[in-house]
Amino acid sequence: MRSRSARIHETGCETVPEPEPNVPRVMWQLLEPLHAVTYFAPEARAAADAVGMRGFWMGYFAGRAAPLGPVGPGVVTAAFHGFPPARVARALPDAWTFATPGDVLRARLDGAGAALRTLLTDKVTGSDDLRAAAGLAWEAAGHADTAGRVLGAANQALPAPDEPHLLLWQAATTLREHRGDGHVAALVAHGVSPVQSHLLKVAAGETDIDQLRLARRWDDEEWEAGAAALRGRGWVDDSGVLTAEGARERTRIERLTDEAAAVPWRALGDERTAELALLLYPLTMAVLESGVMPPANPIGLPPPGDGENGRGLTLPAVPSPIS
């Protein structure tokens, strides 16, 4: 990977390092679908229900928060950034009266593992390629710089699972929470509230407004206040579309997010990061093409039919920019 000084993006009086190429974003595209089975696969929901979670959202909040211990809604609202406090409070701390954080951690690993076995097949989950991918991803996750990154640090501190597909899932989870912590920091530094961050994602065409409103459940007044704030900043127009200024600011936030997620890949090195990308590609596509993830997902991941080469991922070009 080239030095961070190899290319500088200028914004006003400031400079923002831009990795060349954008390795952190490519690796996020590859790893996020493997992690996200924990939200969308029926096996994951069944495992959460089996330990006593009452409905999807209790399982979601408890599952993501479990590495932190039996925390309350204030901590989770702050760390997750995107949810109304009242919605989090409907799940926590009640979840810990039904199951301990340790129970929930075991359930989320069991559920994700069962989902990956279904989606990737037993033959793939026991393959040499998957073992190699899991080892490289785990090493990268161990290099994640966690100062100030609560969710990334809590996941990094968990023990290594024994089975390769579980090791890969936990590594992907650590790396995505590490990236998410950095993204939240960039949003906060730019004065972007949770609702505004959702509306920027919609304005950029990354997700559907109706699905996002259903998933996040901010009330109508809060959505409108967020939209009015973005209009007042000149970031979106009256129809909710990004203005030129909004596009510049959002690009800057995304570049800062990518740069903040770059340390694991610099530590792993160009050659082994490229090797990992090639090993992950067929696994990621198997998940995306299974249909387990809805096309209009709140994460903003593209469906496999979109993007270059009809895949939603620009990965046929991965070996060239990373090497």
Side-chain angles (χ1 to χ4, degrees), residues 95-205:
W96 311 128
T97 68
F98 301 116
T100 68
D103 293 335
V104 174
L105 284 172
R106 285 189 292 275
R108 76 171 194 168
L109 196 60
D110 288 345
L116 289 175
R117 281 200 173 277
T118 298
L119 296 170
L120 304 181
T121 75
D122 288 344
K123 181 179 179 180
V124 174
T125 53
S127 70
D128 290 341
D129 281 354
L130 188 134
R131 279 190 286 272
L136 288 168
W138 187 260
E139 182 177 344
H143 287 300
D145 47 325
T146 56
R149 305 185 202 226
V150 173
L151 288 171
N155 277 278
Q156 188 186 68
L158 295 174
D162 293 330
E163 297 182 68
H165 65 298
L166 300 180
L167 189 71
L168 178 59
W169 182 85
Q170 183 57 58
T173 299
T174 299
L175 289 163
R176 73 91 64 175
E177 296 291 21
H178 169 265
R179 179 186 177 87
D181 288 339
H183 183 57
V184 169
L187 291 170
V188 171
H190 284 77
V192 177
S193 73
V195 171
Q196 290 173 40
S197 72
H198 298 323
L199 291 170
L200 284 175
K201 187 183 290 288
V202 172

Side-chain angles (χ1 to χ4, degrees), residues 7-132:
R7 186 176 176 187
I8 298 293
H9 170 70
E10 297 184 0
T11 305
C13 297
E14 300 179 57
T15 58
V16 179
E18 179 184 357
E20 185 182 2
N22 196 340
V23 174
R25 184 162 294 267
V26 171
M27 299 310 293
W28 170 74
Q29 284 185 308
L30 284 163
L31 287 163
E32 182 69 13
L34 298 171
H35 160 78
V37 299
T38 195
Y39 310 130
F40 299 110
E43 294 88 348
R45 171 67 186 273
D49 289 349
V51 293
M53 296 297 97
R54 301 300 196 260
F56 172 83
W57 286 107
M58 180 178 282
Y60 172 85
F61 288 118
R64 278 191 73 193
L68 301 173
V71 292
V75 172
V76 171
T77 300
F80 290 13
H81 187 260
F83 293 91
R87 184 164 206 191
V88 182
R90 284 197 290 272
L92 300 174
D94 283 356
W96 311 128
T97 68
F98 301 116
T100 68
D103 293 335
V104 174
L105 284 172
R106 285 189 292 275
R108 76 171 194 168
L109 196 60
D110 288 345
L116 289 175
R117 281 200 173 277
T118 298
L119 296 170
L120 304 181
T121 75
D122 288 344
K123 181 179 179 180
V124 174
T125 53
S127 70
D128 290 341
D129 281 354
L130 188 134
R131 279 190 286 272

